Amino acid sequence: MPHDDHDHPHTLLPPDPALRVKALETLLTRKGLIDPAALDVIIDTYSNRIGPQNGAHVVARAWSDPGFKAALLADADPVLADMGYYGRQGEHMMVVENTDQVHNMVVCTLCSCYPWPLLGIPPGWYKSDAYRARAVREPRKVLAEFGVTLPDGTAVRVWDSTAEVRYLVLPQRPAGTEGMTETDLQALVTRDSMIGCGMVPAP
Amino acid sequence: MPHDDHDHPHTLLPPDPALRVKALETLLTRKGLIDPAALDVIIDTYSNRIGPQNGAHVVARAWSDPGFKAALLADADPVLADMGYYGRQGEHMMVVENTDQVHNMVVCTLCSCYPWPLLGIPPGWYKSDAYRARAVREPRKVLAEFGVTLPDGTAVRVWDSTAEVRYLVLPQRPAGTEGMTETDLQALVTRDSMIGCGMVPAP
Amino acid sequence: MGGRFGDGRVKPEPEDVKFHADWHPRALALTLACGMLGQWNLDMMRRAREGLAPTDYARFAYYEKWLAALADMLVEVGLVTCAELAGEAAAEPSPLSERRVGPEVVTTILARGGPATRDSAVTARFQPGDSVRTRHLAENTTVPGGHTRLPAYAAGRTGRIVRQHGSHVLPDSNAHGNGEAPEPLYAVAFAARDLWAHPETPLDEVMLDLWQGYLSPA
Amino acid sequence: MGGRFGDGRVKPEPEDVKFHADWHPRALALTLACGMLGQWNLDMMRRAREGLAPTDYARFAYYEKWLAALADMLVEVGLVTCAELAGEAAAEPSPLSERRVGPEVVTTILARGGPATRDSAVTARFQPGDSVRTRHLAENTTVPGGHTRLPAYAAGRTGRIVRQHGSHVLPDSNAHGNGEAPEPLYAVAFAARDLWAHPETPLDEVMLDLWQGYLSPA
């Protein structure tokens, strides 16, 4: 450990990340800067309360209610706030609709920005070098790795989340869902489809 | 070790580089593809026979003989071949002269190309990420780390060895060497000065 | 790293996987709780992550980058000393401990978020449909080697304004504690064929959110 | 990596240091001796080194890159099998063993070198003094993700022809076994202020050797 490396004090911590977390939490607790019970609440929030079910709820309602959908696509923020889906990393939302003409996909090549209030914490692959590097250059090859093949003539539009605007994909409603309730539709919607890396399967 | 990683079979070898070398040498020897005695000769060549003394010889002669220097700067290859300094990684040489107006420096940002027949194998710092990254962008800060400060008004010209042309810097002859023989001058010339990262010290 | 070659396949995973190691949730929560102390902004934290040594950035996984940047930032803003980090000094109670966030307010703070929109005196120069060219260097123009949000793959390229997002805090300034300097932010569309030597189809586009200062008329 | 930030100080070292580990000379000699079998060219080997996974390229030191690329190349050209590398199969004598280089000829081969100049039917388009612009992408135009020798920092920039080096083998082709495709090579001067957001002085220049196909008139 280079103790004289003032630019990178993290090198003073043990290299094993599990030990790093423990060392930091112990130190910060002793200094009175964090409360381990608050950490538990944060973990519970993203483990159990905030997740793709929120986004799926929005998608199911958009499929069910044309007026809602129009408002959502025009200006998502007030619509999502009304549903209670606002918060850290979802302050400025845009919802982009997949159609036969355009398939939208979301990435953050610079870090791993993601609409947390709607989808929870990002999946491992979303944070991977492979996805960050390739989604912008060869989205169709990436989609193929998710088992998705687009029809000829469908354009791909990849949204690189370079600022504080976060993107949610409104996937295409699958055939055979005409009579389904909003609740049943919500259960169909996959997380990956709202990132643009999957299609919602027919029921 | 991902045995199915056909793009990168090196992952099949042990990760420790010392063990990698041993494993490869053993395998290739058994297959009859290499002769360990030939490896010994290669190592002896670059450890003891080919090194910066060659470049220093060229520099000392250029300082001593204006006709030689003019020929060297105009078309180095025949001049160097005459001296016996030709070979792998020195097939196409250019010699660039440091003056009060221009200070030349050599780097290879893409790998670590270097004039082997004249300077031997490159020093560790020449192959480092720090040198490869910074020599082109902030050569003066790099020079400062070698203890070199250029006079105001001297331009820096950094040669990035992107092709098979190799560059040797002809450093400035230090003051106080007027009466010295070519042999004594040769002993003064440092390797770093012929890369453009040092000045030849006065005797 | 957008556009980089050689990273291999993307590996989809089951949708119920939230974390990939026991320490991941703790690293996440620790970083968020420290952020709530209000001693840095999100742009500063991103700057710290990207400012890791290139070899560390390459080898660290996501939450390892978070942890390393958190430690660096804690020292940078003076919340923790190097001696404390190294375990060479006993932990001193912090004068900022009164800002410690308790379990009862955490959810509220997360739900409150931190909008990046601001009123700005900078007039919008571009309208949807305008053709623009990005800066030819993906670099911070004020701070050498500083933080910026123009990806290298989109530097010096021509695109089309798609939408004005209002005025947003400028990371190039805010990440260095030089003020929020809000200015208009735009969604800009680039044809894949203008970005890549071998685009997959002539139809495809990449959309980026870019600040006005990154753009000039094309 | 030319121009990258964050790599720290350059560490000068005594001039009598040749190697930094016991295995270094052996790695060097092994790579050179295998090259003498004539089953690949230098451009292919560079392609193999740069084609390592980005995380490996970042963490491997110089001779570690050499070793990894050597192993990959030995398998690519069929001199060695994966099973042999993995130690899962006994080493089979190679039909190419008659090309093995003995100690008596090694010095001669090193001294002979391998010139890269070739006669070429491609006419030189540029003369010293001409203003040229480099390709806007530092990418191989034929092979996606393929080898090229235009550094990213010099892509899409304007420079001045300083010298014509004659015609040289084109790495973009030769590295992929697509022929030597020789074409004129030039030394091109770029003003530091045209390459960097924060050049050290207005006087400084960076010189690159670039193939004619990388350049267009500016």
Side-chain angles (χ1 to χ4, degrees), chain A:
Chain A
M1 294 298 112
H3 275 236
D4 57 346
D5 188 350
H6 293 298
D7 285 326
H8 294 296
H10 75 81
T11 54
L12 299 166
L13 288 169
D16 176 70
L19 299 180
R20 289 195 150 195
V21 182
K22 193 163 285 188
L24 276 174
E25 182 172 344
T26 303
L27 172 61
L28 293 165
T29 304
R30 285 194 187 142
K31 291 184 72 68
L33 290 169
I34 58 137
D35 178 345
L39 270 57
D40 294 338
V41 174
I42 294 173
I43 293 169
D44 177 60
T45 300
Y46 289 112
S47 298
N48 303 314
R49 291 166 208 283
I50 298 182
Q53 67 276 12
N54 296 4
H57 185 195
V58 175
V59 168
R61 184 168 295 179
W63 284 347
S64 308
D65 178 346
F68 174 88
K69 177 177 152 182
L72 182 73
L73 294 175
D75 186 7
D77 290 335
V79 176
L80 296 172
D82 271 357
M83 293 178 77
Y85 301 143
Y86 180 83
R88 183 184 186 281
Q89 286 296 303
E91 296 90 348
H92 313 286
M93 286 297 308
M94 263 190 76
V95 178
V96 290
E97 183 185 16
N98 282 353
T99 65
D100 289 344
Q101 284 71 49
V102 179
H103 180 89
N104 293 281
M105 227 171 119
V106 182
V107 65
C108 172
T109 62
L110 295 174
C111 31
S112 298
C113 297
Y114 190 74
W116 289 38
L118 289 158
L119 298 182
I121 52 175
W125 56 261
Y126 187 86
K127 299 177 284 196
S128 69
D129 289 358
Y131 187 72
R132 292 169 56 196
R134 296 176 52 214
V136 284
R137 181 170 50 75
E138 48 183 18
R140 290 163 193 269
K141 282 209 185 73
V142 171
L143 286 175
E145 290 162 16
F146 284 90
V148 173
T149 311
L150 298 177
D152 283 353
T154 301
V156 174
R157 196 171 286 161
V158 183
W159 299 81
D160 189 357
S161 314
T162 47
E164 295 308 321
V165 183
R166 299 287 167 267
Y167 292 87
L168 183 81
V169 174
L170 176 58
Q172 286 190 282
R173 180 171 177 162
T177 57
E178 292 71 18
M180 287 175 69
T181 64
E182 200 179 300
T183 309
D184 289 342
L185 287 170
Q186 181 180 351
L188 273 188
V189 179
T190 59
R191 176 195 63 197
D192 291 359
S193 74
M194 295 182 280
I195 309 173
C197 288
M199 300 299 196
V200 178

Side-chain angles (χ1 to χ4, degrees), chain B residues 34-59:
Chain B
I34 58 135
D35 178 345
L39 270 56
D40 294 338
V41 175
I42 294 172
I43 293 168
D44 178 60
T45 300
Y46 289 112
S47 298
N48 303 312
R49 291 166 208 285
I50 298 182
Q53 67 277 12
N54 297 3
H57 184 194
V58 174
V59 168

